[in-house]
Amino acid sequence: MPDTDDILLSMKDLCIEGRTDEEWLDIVKGVDLELRKGEVLGLIGESGAGKSTIGLAAMGFARDGCRISGGEITFDGIDMRKAGEATKRRLRGRRIAYVAQSAAASFNPAHKLIDQYSEGPVKHGVMSRDEAESDATDLYRRMQLPDPDSIGFRFPHQVSGGQLQRAMTAMAMACRPDLIIFDEPTTALDVTTQIEVLAAIRDIVEQFDTAALYITHDLAVVAQMADRIKVLLKGEEVEESDTRSMLANPTQDYTKSLWAVRTHARLEQPPVGEGRPVLSIRNVTAGYGSVDVLKDVSFDIHPRRTVAVVGESGSGKSTTARVITGLLPPRRGEVLFNGEALPPDFRRRSRDQLRQAQMIYQMADTALNPKLKIRELVGRPAQMYLGLRGKALEERIRELLSLIEMDPDDYIDRLPSELSGGQKQRIGIARALAAEPQFIICDEVTSALDQLVAEGILKLLDRLQGEFDLAFMFITHDLATVKAIADEVVVMKDGVVVEKGPKSEMFQPPHDPYTELLLSSVPEMDPDWLTGLLKARATAADG
Amino acid sequence: MSHIVNMILKRIALGILTLFVVSLIIFLATELLPGNFAQEILGQSATPETVAALRRQLGLDQPMHVRYAIWLTDVLRGDFGESLANGMAVSELIGRRLGNTLYLALYAAAIAVPLSLALGILAALLRNSFFDRFANASALTSISFPEFFVAYILIFLLAGAGGAFPSMANFRGDPSFGEFLYRAFLPALTLTLVVTAHMMRMTRAAIINLLASPYIEMAHLKGMNPMRVIVKHALPNALAPIINVIALNLAYLITGVVVVEVVFVYPGLGQLMVDSVAARDMPVVQGVALVFAAAYVFLNLAADVLATLSNPRLVHGR
């Protein structure tokens, strides 16, 4: 065990405040943290736990509207709270580097990757421009990027998300820093891409013996990456211990509840034999411009059943939803509703046909008009489709709010901005229910939410399905969600249905090779999972 | 690259179409002006016969569409016709004045564009500081006063008793370059004060708009200094709106400076236009208006092309 002289970063009683309107609120409330040289500490918690804020504070940085209000931050003997801007600038990028959540947004769109790579080492006087360029190529190769010699000369928009994330890790490594802050580096990636990035990050951190703060909300991911884990809740530490003992026996209730989230699963409804499906997609081919995004897609959705449509970004899941709702008329094929063909273009559908199929969106934030009160948001469809007025409408809105477990007296006159993410998503659900549909498309409705909140939404949808005989089409890229909610599963890849069937079959071998890849890529809460998986895949590739 | 060339060709074709429509509007508008040139020349005492004879001689008795067709085909051959007032070729009249106008516009732009970019960048860097507020307030003040007022204030301050610069910019013949810079200094300064505010504020706003972007935070976290973050990381992404505002202001410098020209007795296109309207000298009015329209079309085209070139996502495909 290394002694205390090895301590690289320490925080004592760190307090950070954030400004809302005229008030300063506590975001981080007295957190202690110690990180030794070459060690990886996982910071885990839900949104609002203060993880990113703590990560940035390690660099002596506070976002606009935030301020470090108390405590000590010491990096290698330097007091980061007292250090001047110039001192901090010399440390940033050179001795402490940062890897952001979205590489696509954090690379400057105006400059080539290699220019952005070289900027740090050249400006910090670590290397000449030529040295930086050849070093970049070397790191790109170690990060297993394709065409390491030429990829640096591309602009960010010319490189895929997973590659950008690796290029950003390489950029953080440019000055060979002592510490890297990884702020949710794989959250925006598909599972199969995530694996590559995780493996690359772990390799390079080990090769250079770099210390890291690894920030994430995903336990299974942090289990692969960290030596120790610290659990945070609302700006306070819940507990901390080394990864294996934390996974084996968490002591605090909150940690246990985080561990338990993934266990919710509903009983699979038996497959429907001969009954008529609510919705039937038949041989649909559709696309934009001259490109076919969907190729000969067919599947059925039966009453009171949930069909999960699974696939990575670009697989055609959302395009399928656009075809069903009539936003994108297909080139070939048709959509049947209760056995009757729907007009391809929504403008030609009757009001009743429109009413029967509703949608709930991924980003409740952008799907709710910020200027309308809950009363109007939920009341509008009831008024428009069902002709409710006055007192009847008021009662219906209150009933809907009670259904989604929100107190009508408290919420009916609020604006969306006054609600939490989970509450906004509940309003999205109430709005869909207000039309009294038979069929609802849920487009990644839980992927922007924390696990515990997402759990609540899934349970609510489950209950509503039973009460109102609803059929759900559940679009998701998250197999844990599929396990939790689906009766049947449709796996899509590149616009083609590669496998479909009841959930129990889908999670039992034999699988289609792509389904197998998807399933095996979902991180598990076993610290040896990634190592084992990479070994198994390497063996398979050799053999 | 080919789609850029395609876009430019498309825009040029559209520009030519615009010019054609503008020529039609100009022609119709001059037709609608009250007054009769032959009557104007011959005076109140002329008999109807002599007026009719002069109209026939000038071709004014032809129907409108015939005259438009003749005018347009002549213009396409580079012949803008002859001034009704003094018989000089319109192209020669315009040519001389256009040179003067362009010189003055370039003079003003050479001061105003770098100045407003620099002020805008500094204001963004030192946002909400005293400098920022002061620069904004003075820019807004200078744009809020009418141009002639700014001009007279400058004359009072810089050309009055003991002032160093001439209040009249009317030079004859070919002045030397130094002489031109000296004589045209006050009009150029007036125009600078009028256009700087707009460009400076857009530069500041376009940059500040980007400062919350993750890539700006990233630049800070790489330890770059604030000036470099603004100039190297924010500015390249803010170019499109800035270029468009610069183009609009350059167009204004060419076409909108009549008042300033009158105050300083500067022999530019604007004065020629005003004089010709007063004299009902339609060929000249039409010619000048067409030149103004062409300047607008060209500058907007140039702005679109430059703004496109400033965006790597449009220049380099996936």
Side-chain angles (χ1 to χ4, degrees):
Chain A
M1 209 61 195
D3 58 53
T4 46
D5 289 344
D6 272 355
I7 286 178
L8 181 67
L9 173 75
S10 83
M11 296 180 172
K12 288 208 179 70
D13 197 26
L14 177 70
C15 294
I16 300 174
E17 295 178 332
R19 199 183 177 83
T20 46
D21 298 324
E22 291 306 303
E23 269 183 304
W24 287 96
L25 297 176
D26 294 337
I27 301 177
V28 175
K29 305 160 193 162
V31 168
D32 294 335
L33 181 152
E34 269 185 2
L35 183 66
R36 294 188 182 84
K37 285 178 183 155
E39 188 187 33
V40 180
L41 173 65
L43 287 183
I44 188 158
E46 310 190 317
S47 54
K51 318 179 289 284
S52 299
T53 317
I54 293 175
L56 290 170
M59 308 182 78
F61 186 87
R63 290 200 164 117
D64 271 354
C66 292
R67 66 177 184 201
I68 300 171
S69 54
E72 289 171 26
I73 306 165
T74 314
F75 173 79
D76 202 20
I78 303 164
D79 183 340
M80 295 297 275
R81 285 199 65 201
K82 295 212 180 92
E85 282 302 315
T87 312
K88 285 191 273 186
R89 273 205 298 276
R90 274 195 297 278
L91 291 176
R92 289 178 192 155
R94 184 169 170 187
R95 299 199 56 201
I96 316 176
Y98 181 76
V99 175
Q101 172 168 2
S102 166
S106 295
F107 268 117
N108 192 325
H111 303 295
K112 291 175 181 159
L113 295 181
I114 204 149
D115 293 334
Q116 303 191 47
Y117 180 97
S118 310
E119 185 178 24
V122 171
K123 286 288 148 191
H124 286 299
V126 178
M127 292 178 208
S128 72
R129 166 82 201 201
D130 285 346
E131 285 166 345
E133 275 188 20
S134 62
D135 187 54
T137 312
D138 176 46
L139 277 184
Y140 291 155
R141 188 168 288 118
R142 290 189 201 215
M143 298 295 288
Q144 313 212 329
L145 282 166
D147 309 320
D149 293 318
S150 63
I151 196 167
F153 296 91
R154 293 195 216 158
F155 285 95
H157 72 272
Q158 296 171 309
V159 177
S160 77
Q163 293 169 4
L164 270 185
Q165 205 69 43
R166 277 178 279 170
M168 173 157 285
T169 306
M171 182 164 86
M173 275 293 170
C175 298
R176 304 296 184 271
D178 304 303
L179 168 64
I180 300 188
I181 317 289
F182 290 98
D183 193 353
E184 305 251 13
T186 61
T187 305
L189 303 177
D190 285 323
V191 277
T192 53
T193 325
Q194 170 170 277
I195 295 235
E196 296 164 16
V197 175
L198 287 179
I201 288 179
R202 209 173 62 172
D203 268 8
I204 202 126
V205 167
E206 273 170 21
Q207 279 180 39
F208 294 108
D209 198 25
T210 314
L213 274 185
Y214 197 99
I215 297 165
T216 179
H217 67 276
D218 191 333
L219 282 163
V221 165
V222 84
Q224 314 309 315
M225 310 302 286
D227 303 318
R228 277 187 300 140
I229 296 178
K230 184 193 280 292
V231 183
L232 295 165
L233 173 66
K234 292 178 184 155
E236 285 175 285
E237 175 178 328
V238 178
E239 62 177 312
E240 179 188 326
S241 73
D242 72 275
T243 302
R244 279 172 202 277
S245 53
M246 176 76 87
L247 290 176
N249 45 4
T251 55
Q252 299 298 314
D253 286 345
Y254 175 71
T255 318
K256 285 179 191 155
S257 77
L258 275 182
W259 266 229
V261 163
R262 289 174 181 246
T263 56
H264 165 86
R266 75 184 211 148
L267 287 176
E268 181 185 323
Q269 306 287 312
V272 185
E274 296 302 303
R276 191 177 66 182
V278 184
L279 190 90
S280 177
I281 297 163
R282 298 220 177 134
N283 308 99
V284 163
T285 297
Y288 309 96
S290 58
V291 187
D292 283 341
V293 182
L294 295 181
K295 292 154 205 154
D296 201 25
V297 168
S298 304
F299 58 87
D300 293 340
I301 299 171
H302 289 274
R304 296 198 62 163
R305 292 294 180 277
T306 299
V307 174
V309 178
V310 197
E312 307 197 313
S313 45
S315 61
K317 308 177 301 257
S318 295
T319 308
T320 309
R322 289 174 62 85
V323 169
I324 295 172
T325 50
L327 291 169
L328 179 72
R331 276 192 242 286
R332 281 186 298 283
E334 56 183 359
V335 178
L336 305 185
F337 196 84
N338 287 331
E340 220 175 283
L342 285 175
D345 188 329
F346 75 96
R347 277 165 287 217
R348 295 178 175 274
R349 293 184 184 174
S350 71
R351 183 160 283 205
D352 199 53
Q353 284 170 330
L354 291 173
R355 180 181 68 80
Q356 293 288 3
Q358 293 292 313
M359 262 194 95
I360 308 171
Y361 301 85
Q362 173 174 7
M363 305 300 290
D365 256 338
T366 50
L368 299 179
N369 185 335
K371 299 278 183 206
L372 294 186
K373 290 182 176 161
I374 305 304
R375 177 195 301 279
E376 295 157 305
L377 285 167
V378 177
R380 191 79 182 282
Q383 198 181 352
M384 190 171 94
Y385 289 122
L386 308 169
L388 296 180
R389 295 280 181 278
K391 207 160 177 212
L393 180 64
E394 170 87 15
E395 265 167 35
R396 177 66 182 151
I397 297 170
R398 288 174 170 274
E399 189 187 335
L400 285 164
L401 288 179
S402 307
L403 274 174
I404 55 165
E405 295 152 21
M406 285 169 74
D407 180 6
D409 292 327
D410 200 0
Y411 289 103
I412 196 163
D413 283 317
R414 292 213 204 179
L415 289 169
S417 56
E418 298 169 66
L419 305 180
S420 70
Q423 288 173 332
K424 281 181 208 167
Q425 197 55 286
R426 283 173 189 259
I427 297 299
I429 295 172
R431 180 172 64 178
L433 284 181
E436 298 184 7
Q438 288 182 26
F439 169 67
I440 297 181
I441 300 175
C442 305
D443 190 353
E444 303 267 14
V445 289
T446 55
S447 55
L449 302 174
D450 284 322
Q451 293 177 36
L452 288 174
V453 181
E455 169 96 352
I457 296 284
L458 293 184
K459 279 186 183 150
L460 173 67
L461 286 171
D462 233 8
R463 201 195 80 215
L464 293 172
Q465 177 165 52
E467 277 176 41
F468 298 100
D469 284 352
L470 294 166
F472 286 143
M473 174 171 138
F474 213 94
I475 298 175
T476 182
H477 66 274
D478 179 18
L479 290 161
T481 310
V482 175
K483 254 182 198 160
I485 199 159
D487 300 310
E488 288 162 55
V489 182
V490 173
V491 182
M492 292 186 73
K493 183 181 190 248
D494 300 335
V496 179
V497 175
V498 293
E499 193 175 7
K500 61 182 170 185
K503 174 171 69 174
S504 50
E505 275 176 30
M506 153 91 185
F507 285 99
Q508 296 294 321
H511 304 297
D512 166 272
Y514 178 69
T515 313
E516 169 73 36
L517 178 70
L518 270 187
L519 284 173
S520 69
S521 299
V522 178
E524 288 168 21
M525 302 272 258
D526 164 9
D528 300 320
W529 168 79
L530 182 61
T531 317
L533 179 76
L534 292 173
K535 211 173 277 170
R537 284 192 184 169
T539 323
D542 289 343
Chain B
M1 261 332 252
S2 70
H3 62 282
I4 297 269
V5 177
N6 246 337
M7 186 209 89
I8 295 174
L9 290 178
K10 239 182 237 166
R11 297 304 305 262
I12 290 176
L14 213 58
I16 291 172
L17 181 70
T18 312
L19 278 183
F20 171 73
V21 174
V22 168
S23 77
L24 199 62
I25 294 172
I26 292 170
F27 191 84
L28 290 175
T30 51
E31 287 299 311
L32 289 176
L33 280 180
N36 174 335
F37 178 77
Q39 188 80 58
E40 202 85 351
I41 285 187
L42 298 173
Q44 291 300 319
S45 57
T47 62
E49 288 75 23
T50 49
V51 170
L54 185 60
R55 282 174 60 85
R56 202 159 36 247
Q57 189 196 332
L58 295 171
L60 294 178
D61 57 335
Q62 303 270 355
M64 204 163 69
H65 61 274
V66 175
R67 279 184 289 125
Y68 176 69
I70 294 172
W71 178 66
L72 194 65
T73 44
D74 283 350
V75 165
L76 288 179
R77 281 183 286 140
D79 174 10
F80 285 81
E82 283 160 10
S83 161
L84 297 182
N86 55 20
M88 286 176 67
V90 172
S91 49
E92 193 186 323
L93 268 174
I94 291 180
R96 201 182 311 147
R97 296 295 191 97
L98 180 62
N100 287 344
T101 290
L102 289 181
Y103 286 139
L104 182 60
L106 273 178
Y107 192 0
I111 305 175
V113 172
L115 179 73
S116 43
L117 282 179
L119 286 177
I121 289 170
L122 276 179
L125 183 67
L126 307 171
R127 56 195 173 286
N128 303 327
S129 67
F130 173 77
F131 170 82
D132 181 22
R133 281 163 221 258
F134 179 74
N136 259 307
S138 19
L140 278 180
T141 311
S142 69
I143 206 178
S144 307
F145 287 123
E147 293 160 31
F148 67 86
F149 182 75
V150 175
Y152 285 131
I153 294 282
L154 285 180
I155 289 174
F156 176 74
L157 291 177
L158 296 175
F165 293 96
S167 62
M168 303 269 268
N170 59 334
F171 36 79
R172 303 234 167 267
D174 270 325
S176 71
F177 185 60
E179 170 82 5
F180 167 74
L181 290 187
Y182 173 68
R183 297 215 137 249
F185 179 72
L186 286 186
L189 189 61
T190 310
L191 290 173
T192 299
L193 286 178
V194 172
V195 296
T196 297
H198 202 186
M199 292 191 283
M200 181 203 111
R201 286 169 61 81
M202 180 51 95
T203 305
R204 177 185 181 275
I207 289 177
I208 287 183
N209 204 12
L210 296 176
L211 292 186
S213 316
Y215 58 81
I216 297 295
E217 182 176 288
M218 193 67 198
H220 284 296
L221 293 175
K222 280 162 79 181
M224 298 302 122
N225 67 50
M227 191 63 180
R228 186 177 168 87
V229 172
I230 298 268
V231 174
K232 190 86 186 173
H233 289 272
L235 187 60
N237 294 292
L239 282 179
I242 297 174
I243 289 171
N244 272 302
V245 167
I246 291 179
L248 278 180
N249 280 288
L250 291 184
Y252 170 81
L253 285 180
I254 293 174
T255 64
V257 297
V258 179
V259 174
V260 174
E261 283 179 5
V262 170
V263 171
F264 291 100
V265 205
Y266 185 89
L269 269 186
Q271 268 209 20
L272 178 64
M273 175 85 150
V274 171
D275 293 346
S276 309
V277 169
R280 309 284 188 281
D281 196 346
M282 289 317 150
V284 180
V285 174
Q286 288 164 351
V288 175
L290 211 51
V291 169
F292 282 170
Y296 251 102
V297 168
F298 170 75
L299 283 167
N300 277 302
L301 172 68
D304 278 356
V305 172
L306 287 176
T308 308
L309 290 180
S310 79
N311 185 345
R313 268 171 286 208
L314 299 177
V315 181
H316 307 274
R318 283 201 70 92

